[in-house]
Amino acid sequence: TAPTGSMASLRSAVVVVLGCTGVGKSKLAIEAAKRFNGEIVSTDSMQVYQGLDIVTNKVTKEEMAAVPHHCIDAFSPFESVTVAQFQELATKIIADIHARGRLPILVGGTNFYIESVLFNNLYPAHVGPRTAGAGIDAAAIEAADGISLHEQLRRVDPVMAERLHPNEKRKILRSLEVFQQHGVPQSTMLLQHLAERPRFQPRYGRTVCCWIDCDVTILDPRLDERVDQMVTGGLLRELWDFHTAFHAHVASAPPAAVAPNTSEHVHSSQSEDEADSGSSRSEGALAAQPSVCTLDFSKGILQSIGVKEFQPFFALAHNVPPLDLAAAAGTPTLQKCLTEMKVNTRRYARKQVQWLRNRILRVPELDIVRLDASDLSVWDQTVCAPALDAIQKVLDGGKLPAIAERPPEPPSLLAWRKYPCELCGRTLNGDVEWKAHLGSKGHKVAVSKRAAGAQGGRGARRQRSDPSQAVEGGGPEIDINSPAGAASSSG
């Protein structure tokens, strides 16, 4: 059934199906496309690559035949696609869909990709002429450790250095790269960009966002079950074939051809050490193919959850070819890999929700409807029907009521920073977390222990100089209300 909205409204409207992994985004997008003469544009940064259909949870061939899908299998798995590349591809496709009088429906969980399409003042394709940044050695920074990179960043961009922890090597590299390319600190460019135009400037006249939410206590076991279904559906064979093909490509291609990184606006594009990426690279993995040691799990399709998690299993399986998946199914190594994949999937879902709350939900120009997918037995009543009603209302020129979950505006770039508490060995993000940490029981106990230790040492010194003196007096004065005070208390 065609929508009742006018042709003009369709040419300025987009629908976005939002939500974390496992809530049913693709299902709703297909239902909306059938109802409103729509075409689906995937905004999933892993589904944009060819292959790994099970790992990336692509829609089936039957579903793709029922409704036109775009931006799936658009790039070789041996490429590393950037946000700018995706933005150019998706906006051209959306323009074509509009020109044919149909409704574009964006669906996917990569929020960088969603933002690049929805807002025309984020991730610009070009940010100015390139000039060499003083004192930055492009070859040296790639091989340096996080601490030394953070010191380099502090020298050229102290504002960004305050925002980043030394362990965030990828983000530090990105800031150094910006300075190297343009001769201007990244923080300066960001502040200038925000001052020139509103932070979020919608690209399309009407945007309705269908946010599918789910109770986390229900979502977690649902995600675990989905991983188990992937295994039943051929996950291990798919990963094995991918590993074989990818290692063969690495062995035969020059390094620059494996995962090119040519755009200025790259998400997860810089190489990271293992502590930053969280990757698990087992010693001697696929030893007969030494190129595996050069793989960077922060680039391209290698970022897919399931690829790096199964490295230990394939390292083991490689030593006893041919691969016997049935015999390996019950091994402790495989069970550990499965557990790791489930944990990382649940962790990723939480990050997706946090991103939505901190970014998309803050934009008042967007019409947003929240849908509860906790109980799949009432999907039609709690998800499908209210979503279709909301889309129809916006297409007819209406406005959706503001959602109650819309959070307040975040602090400015200059006001936000990370606070390291050396005493507790933690790094806190922003003023709110820092103040909460200072008032926490654990921090206060650590401060008290440090003070008691300093007091005991001082008393012992007094006793040695004058045995008649009793061990009295307090510890060193510690200001627990400032980052410097907490840091200094750790000695």
Side-chain angles (χ1 to χ4, degrees):
T1 303
T4 60
S6 66
M7 186 69 70
S9 69
L10 287 180
R11 287 177 178 169
S12 64
V14 294
V15 173
V16 189
V17 182
L18 302 165
C20 67
T21 185
V23 294
K25 296 187 297 295
S26 294
K27 180 180 179 180
L28 177 60
I30 292 172
E31 291 172 338
K34 291 178 178 179
R35 166 75 177 272
F36 294 103
N37 192 31
E39 297 186 16
I40 294 174
V41 180
S42 171
T43 57
D44 188 299
S45 63
M46 297 298 102
Q47 293 184 6
V48 75
Y49 296 104
Q50 299 157 9
L52 289 184
D53 295 358
I54 297 173
V55 172
T56 60
N57 201 39
K58 292 176 185 174
V59 293
T60 65
K61 289 180 171 57
E62 292 75 18
E63 290 170 326
M64 293 185 69
V67 174
H69 283 70
H70 305 274
C71 297
I72 295 178
D73 295 336
F75 295 91
S76 164
F78 308 127
E79 298 181 69
S80 184
V81 180
T82 68
V83 176
Q85 286 176 285
F86 176 81
Q87 180 190 57
E88 180 180 10
L89 173 65
T91 52
K92 286 181 179 178
I93 289 173
I94 291 172
D96 177 67
I97 295 173
H98 277 150
R100 291 185 281 106
R102 295 171 71 90
L103 180 66
I105 300 174
L106 279 61
V107 58
T110 305
N111 296 299
F112 271 115
Y113 278 22
I114 295 171
E115 287 187 352
S116 75
V117 174
L118 288 188
F119 308 111
N120 59 18
N121 64 324
L122 297 179
Y123 313 105
H126 185 62
V127 292
R130 293 189 176 196
T131 57
I136 298 296
D137 184 343
I141 65 175
E142 187 76 17
D145 62 87
I147 295 176
S148 60
L149 286 176
H150 194 263
E151 286 302 316
Q152 290 189 54
L153 180 61
R154 188 174 297 280
R155 288 195 292 270
V156 300
D157 193 345
V159 174
M160 290 304 296
E162 287 294 318
R163 291 172 55 84
L164 300 175
H165 188 276
N167 286 347
E168 296 179 293
K169 184 178 176 182
R170 184 179 65 205
K171 295 178 181 179
I172 296 172
L173 281 169
R174 175 65 187 132
S175 295
L176 289 171
E177 180 193 50
V178 169
F179 184 79
Q180 180 196 29
Q181 293 174 347
H182 307 288
V184 178
Q186 185 184 30
S187 59
T188 300
M189 296 176 67
L190 289 173
L191 289 171
Q192 180 182 358
H193 183 59
L194 296 178
E196 289 174 351
R197 303 167 79 174
R199 181 168 177 77
F200 294 101
Q201 188 176 77
R203 187 185 303 272
Y204 303 102
R206 298 182 183 185
T207 302
V208 54
C209 298
C210 300
W211 171 31
I212 308 180
D213 200 9
C214 182
D215 186 304
V216 68
T217 61
I218 297 175
L219 180 64
D220 282 351
R222 190 182 296 175
L223 294 176
D224 289 348
E225 182 181 357
R226 190 173 73 167
V227 172
D228 292 334
Q229 291 173 349
M230 288 180 176
V231 174
T232 303
L235 172 72
L236 297 180
R237 172 58 63 182
E238 179 182 84
L239 283 171
W240 176 260
D241 292 343
F242 170 79
H243 275 271
T244 303
F246 202 95
H247 295 318
H249 173 77
V250 171
S252 62
V258 176
N261 178 18
T262 57
S263 171
E264 296 175 14
H265 297 274
V266 183
H267 171 50
S268 298
S269 64
Q270 300 294 342
S271 63
E272 309 173 68
D273 55 14
E274 291 183 5
D276 190 15
S277 66
S279 63
S280 176
R281 307 180 189 182
S282 61
E283 200 171 317
L286 297 179
Q289 303 175 58
S291 57
V292 70
C293 298
T294 67
L295 296 186
D296 186 344
F297 293 100
S298 70
K299 290 183 179 180
I301 199 170
L302 294 178
Q303 298 172 91
S304 299
I305 295 177
V307 175
K308 67 177 179 289
E309 286 81 1
F310 280 89
Q311 277 293 97
F313 170 71
F314 289 124
L316 179 66
H318 181 79
N319 294 326
V320 285
L323 177 66
D324 187 347
L325 295 179
T331 63
T333 299
L334 178 59
Q335 293 306 313
K336 184 177 180 180
C337 294
L338 285 170
T339 299
E340 189 74 10
M341 183 176 179
K342 291 177 180 180
V343 169
N344 287 342
T345 300
R346 296 195 298 267
R347 183 180 295 130
Y348 178 58
R350 285 160 171 74
K351 289 182 178 180
Q352 288 176 302
V353 173
Q354 190 62 39
W355 182 280
L356 290 175
R357 292 183 182 277
N358 289 340
R359 305 276 290 191
I360 298 294
L361 300 187
R362 297 183 188 275
V363 185
E365 292 85 357
L366 301 180
D367 283 293
I368 303 175
V369 56
R370 182 184 180 187
L371 310 160
D372 188 357
S374 299
D375 186 352
L376 296 180
S377 68
V378 289
W379 169 272
D380 289 340
Q381 294 88 346
T382 60
V383 178
C384 187
L388 299 183
D389 290 344
I391 295 170
Q392 187 67 69
K393 183 174 182 178
V394 174
L395 293 179
D396 289 340
K399 184 78 175 173
L400 300 182
I403 60 172
E405 292 81 2
R406 181 162 282 158
E409 285 299 311
S412 69
L413 176 69
L414 289 174
W416 194 94
R417 59 165 293 186
K418 287 183 180 289
Y419 293 98
C421 179
E422 297 177 14
L423 183 61
C424 300
R426 294 185 58 190
T427 298
L428 293 309
N429 297 312
D431 292 340
V432 175
E433 282 193 14
W434 174 248
K435 291 178 180 178
H437 175 69
L438 293 180
S440 68
K441 180 179 179 181
H443 179 75
K444 291 179 178 178
V445 168
V447 170
S448 298
K449 288 183 177 179
R450 176 63 182 174
Q455 176 185 352
R458 185 183 303 151
R461 288 193 297 273
R462 285 200 303 267
Q463 264 192 321
R464 285 193 296 268
S465 61
D466 185 358
S468 64
Q469 294 290 326
V471 181
E472 296 179 353
E477 292 186 3
I478 301 173
D479 179 7
I480 66 170
N481 294 311
S482 72
S488 65
S489 68
S490 63

